[in-house]
Amino acid sequence: MKFPAWKKRPTPEKPKKSKLREWLDAGIFAIIAATVIRTFIFEAYCIPSGSMERTLLVNDYLFVSKISYGPRIPMTPLAIPLVHNKMPFTKYTPSYSTAVEWKYRRLPGFTHIKKNDIVVFNLPEGDTVALEVEESRNYYDLVRRLGHDEVWKRYHILARPVDKRENIIKRCLATAGDTLQIINGIVYVNHQQALIAPESERPYWVQTDGEELNASRMDDLGLIDPAVPGDTAGKYQYNLTRGDVATLQTFRAVKSIQADVDKNRNEDASVFPHDTAYYHWNQDNFGPLVIPQQGQTVAVNRSTIELYRRIITVYEGNRLEERDGKYYINNQPADTYTFKMNYYWMMGDNRHNSLDSRYWGFVPEDHIVGKAWITWLSYGKEGPRWSRFFKAIK
């Protein structure tokens, strides 16, 4: 049948999609949309440990803003959507392929990392993990304790690209170019005392007259049991906020409260840069140390090499060798090095219960995931913590 030129030919009906096809299309669209949101806008994150107590609590669920500092372009693009670094329901199977790896790039953000921001980032020492114990033991600490050959004999060892290293959360205490020092547990940045977060904890020794502390009042403070019983009657160690200290000082039975710090400045080989020949530092007395800045040039010699070894080799991808007491970078003699990236110093608010920059050093800018934004859900032993729902993070 022919239609006049002025009359529109009827559009043939498209075959109707099956229910299975409709569900499949909807699922694919949802996965793509969720992946784009997770990669470029925000991502959910759960607090796994008490290193940020009590600013953030275990089982606080956060939204992490990626647009604050600018979303990072995926560096390992061949990966299962919505999965970080392991295949679901497996222990060791990677969820990504390193067949294609892109250089670090970041889209523009609304701001830059500032001192005292709470930041989510990839664990700097997460480039290598001992799979069987990665949740409890650091690979490099194992090597220092047991030796390289013994660790490789005991465990399955896996190297991970930057964006597939474990995500952790800490507070940024110092940014590139700052000078940081810790004196008797107090952090100083550029010779000024750093902010002490109102809800941050630290250990204190509480001395009483021997009388037991009021159980109900201690329960109100969340202090049911002491962290460590003392070696004398009526002496206990508690992890306290400054508000807790002020409250306990009003208790009739409390005679004194003293911060637990290592004032003897005993060196600790587990503390960065793990070189006790030149650095006699511990978690309470540390530095001074300048945080590396892009374009800054530093001396490379025996006394500085352990500060910058990981930056030169792991973070900025150079080959470092020592020959006859001299250092060579990419086969060229080197007595200086110029940084290619900015670095940051991250620490937990619960200072004596936090593995942070004091133990693994600087955090490179390409490891930054985003800024902690809000707590959207939280629960504890007794159920939901309603007061923390949709609470802004500071």
Side-chain angles (χ1 to χ4, degrees), residues 61-81:
Y61 286 79
L62 319 178
F63 283 138
V64 178
S65 169
K66 296 191 173 182
I67 58 176
S68 292
Y69 305 136
R72 182 178 59 185
I73 302 298
M75 303 163 78
T76 314
L78 301 181
I80 303 297

Side-chain angles (χ1 to χ4, degrees), residues 378 383-390:
S378 180
R385 306 181 186 115
W386 298 108
S387 63
R388 300 187 66 80
F389 279 44
F390 296 99

Side-chain angles (χ1 to χ4, degrees), residues 173 185 187 195 201 283 347-354 358:
L173 268 292
V187 179
L195 170 75
E201 289 185 337
Q283 65 175 345
M347 291 176 62
D349 284 356
N350 188 354
R351 294 290 164 76
H352 275 216
N353 292 285
S354 174
R358 290 170 296 176

Side-chain angles (χ1 to χ4, degrees), residues 28-326:
I28 293 173
F29 175 80
I31 290 173
I32 293 173
T35 300
V36 170
I37 291 171
R38 183 175 182 267
T39 302
F40 296 104
I41 303 176
F42 67 83
E43 181 177 354
Y45 179 80
C46 177
I47 300 297
S49 69
S51 69
M52 288 295 293
E53 299 271 2
R54 296 178 209 167
T55 306
L56 297 170
L57 306 180
V58 175
N59 292 328
D60 274 357
Y61 286 79
L62 319 178
F63 283 138
V64 178
S65 169
K66 296 191 173 182
I67 58 176
S68 292
Y69 305 136
R72 182 178 59 185
I73 302 298
M75 303 163 78
T76 314
L78 301 181
I80 303 297
L82 310 180
V83 177
H84 184 46
N85 56 26
K86 293 179 185 175
M87 289 289 290
F89 312 112
T90 69
K91 288 186 177 181
Y92 310 134
T93 307
S95 61
Y96 57 90
S97 169
T98 56
V100 176
E101 293 187 272
W102 292 341
K103 292 183 178 180
Y104 164 64
R105 290 174 297 167
R106 189 179 295 274
L107 298 178
F110 292 120
T111 186
H112 299 286
I113 297 178
K114 299 182 179 66
K115 284 183 272 292
N116 303 314
D117 282 358
I118 297 179
V119 182
V120 173
F121 54 95
N122 299 113
L123 177 64
E125 285 197 335
D127 61 303
T128 309
V129 294
L131 290 171
E132 291 86 348
V133 294
E134 68 167 309
E135 294 183 2
S136 58
R137 301 297 298 273
N138 175 279
Y139 165 80
Y140 293 97
D141 183 55
L142 285 172
V143 170
R144 284 189 289 270
R145 292 171 183 269
L146 304 176
H148 178 275
D149 293 344
E150 182 65 22
V151 171
W152 280 72
K153 184 171 65 174
R154 288 191 189 186
Y155 305 108
H156 291 88
I157 307 301
L158 176 69
R160 286 188 177 137
V162 171
D163 57 342
K164 296 304 178 183
R165 297 168 192 173
E166 288 299 321
N167 292 332
I168 60 173
I169 187 167
K170 306 290 178 185
R171 188 182 296 274
C172 178
L173 268 292
T175 58
D178 288 336
T179 299
L180 177 136
Q181 186 171 14
I182 305 172
I183 303 174
N184 293 336
I186 304 299
V187 179
Y188 295 84
V189 178
N190 300 329
H191 311 293
Q192 300 292 321
Q193 183 174 325
L195 170 75
I196 299 176
E199 294 300 314
S200 65
E201 289 185 337
R202 61 183 302 180
Y204 290 84
W205 286 107
V206 179
Q207 178 67 59
T208 73
D209 58 8
E211 181 181 341
E212 290 188 5
L213 298 172
N214 186 291
S216 62
R217 294 185 68 186
M218 296 297 283
D219 186 46
D220 290 341
L221 293 173
L223 304 172
I224 301 174
D225 298 308
V228 179
D231 55 4
T232 60
K235 187 177 182 181
Y236 308 95
Q237 187 188 91
Y238 286 96
N239 289 325
L240 306 175
T241 66
R242 287 182 295 172
D244 293 337
V245 172
T247 300
L248 285 175
Q249 286 173 335
T250 66
F251 284 25
R252 179 179 56 82
V254 174
K255 297 303 180 184
S256 67
I257 303 177
Q258 297 291 329
D260 179 28
V261 297
D262 184 357
K263 294 183 179 180
N264 295 324
R265 298 177 178 268
N266 297 315
E267 65 185 33
D268 183 353
S270 69
V271 166
F272 179 80
H274 318 291
D275 182 3
T276 55
Y278 290 91
Y279 302 96
H280 309 292
W281 297 346
N282 59 45
Q283 65 175 345
D284 291 324
N285 289 282
F286 189 101
L289 179 67
V290 177
I291 312 305
Q293 185 174 28
Q294 184 179 19
Q296 175 189 1
T297 299
V298 294
V300 175
N301 53 50
R302 178 61 190 89
S303 67
T304 64
I305 191 61
E306 295 309 322
L307 289 174
Y308 308 125
R309 183 182 297 276
R310 284 184 62 79
I311 289 179
I312 295 170
T313 58
V314 178
Y315 305 146
E316 300 194 354
N318 299 284
R319 182 181 179 185
L320 174 67
E321 296 176 284
E322 183 178 358
R323 305 174 198 161
D324 301 323
K326 296 181 179 180

